[in-house]
Amino acid sequence: MSPDESRIESNPSMSSDDESPNGVENELSNSMESSMQPRLLVHPENSVAYVTVSDPVQVNEGIAGRKFTMYRVNYDPPPPPADGSSSSTAILSYATSVNRRYSDFSWLYERLHKERPGAIVPPLPDKQSVSRFSEVFIEGRRFHLEIFLRRVVCNPELKDTECLLVFLGGGDDEFKKAKKDGSFGSGKANVEAANEVAADEPYQPFDPEMAPGAHYNSQHDYNKLIDKVEGELSTKKAGIKKWIKERKTSLKGTMVRSPDDAIFDEITNYISALEMGLKRIDTQTSSLIRRDKDVSTCMLEFGLGCDALCHIDDEINGVIGEGDDTTSSTGIGQTFRQMGKTADDISKLSYEYYEKELSCFREPLRDHLKMIHAVKIALQKRHNRRVTYSTCINAVESKKASVHKYKITPGKEGKSVDAAASLARAEATLIVAKQNYEECSQRALREVDRFRRENASYMYATMLEFAKVQKEHHDKMNNAWGTLVPQLEGLDAS
């Protein structure tokens, strides 16, 4: 193998993938394209190593042989506190080990939103339609699924949800039943999920069997409501979003007000400004990373050119020597040889620097943008409940007017009884809507407060790491050039 060939093989910046114009973008979009794991914040305490996602295995399902990847999810209760206190962070009192696929994690994500509206549910790794079974992609997804699960476990608003308990500790049959029926053995989570779905739907005239907040006769009625509404959501999701948008406009003048509205307006402005600023940094970071990878490639090509000129000079002067034999080369030949070696070293340094920028800055920055999006979803859940509560207030006022109208209208007294019953049901629904709205608002305030504290420490750590990487890289670059200069000055080019 020639020196040029060995140099190309030893430098990953010259791989064939880079010939694609989208090579850098593909690498930016997937943290696992780099040989380094991205450094993503889980929690300031970072004390949830007892939840792991490991051992990805490809499974073929059914006659058609649909292939998917199954992951092993292990949970080991943390050790008791060292101070001997009775407080414990354990979710389950026993160790569990279950198999879960990506769609199971997706179910947990959706269910967490339903059980705890207003909570900040961490993002899942993005889906990918191509190369889903490559080792690089599977390992990257496994890593991010583990981050997702650890964030859920250490979130005080999410760690005691029934869907998380059945996800971590439910057997195959129990978990399949929970996914199909939405039933966890107790009605509390089902009621919360039903209220969550109902809060995102337009107000409808009261149906004694299906109305949100009604007194159901059995657990079957709860499950019936969940199945009905979730089925409609799957086919009418776009329509519901459209309704919410239109309803927001139509209720603008009659939207219920609360003392927390000013705080939420401030939060919304803060999140929007934070997102805008980070997106600007993200755009410039992409340009910087692309430049640094180009520097690695260009310096490698520069070194190859210097080596070629060195060999030409040796041939002209009849010098016999290979590799680093510098005793027989002329001054200019030695100049090209030393310059080529330095260029090769700088090419490697630049590629290492590029990988560090990806793992230490670019990926944490993009992860933080995803967390900001999760905050916006939590705020939207609170807004949906505000719209529902306002709608219920308007419905009660309308029914009160109808009752009064029937009472004072001759011959309509009989209808006033039915109207009064309808009013009573609407008032019961209003009580539930108010409770849901207040609970969601308080939960969102707690979550945003926690996010602000963690955001400050997260961004500080990310920026500090970025500055350290910059200093380390430029010190190495200065040392490489600084070593070359006296070597060239000691040569005689004549």
Side-chain angles (χ1 to χ4, degrees), residues 334-352:
Q334 283 292 334
T335 299
F336 285 129
R337 177 172 280 113
Q338 294 299 330
M339 182 67 75
K341 288 176 57 180
T342 301
D344 187 42
D345 292 339
I346 289 177
S347 175
K348 294 178 181 178
L349 288 175
S350 296
Y351 194 83
E352 292 174 358

Side-chain angles (χ1 to χ4, degrees), residues 30-44:
N30 191 331
S31 63
M32 297 309 301
E33 292 291 333
S34 169
S35 62
M36 304 175 66
Q37 287 278 17
R39 301 181 187 179
L40 305 182
L41 179 73
V42 176
H43 191 268

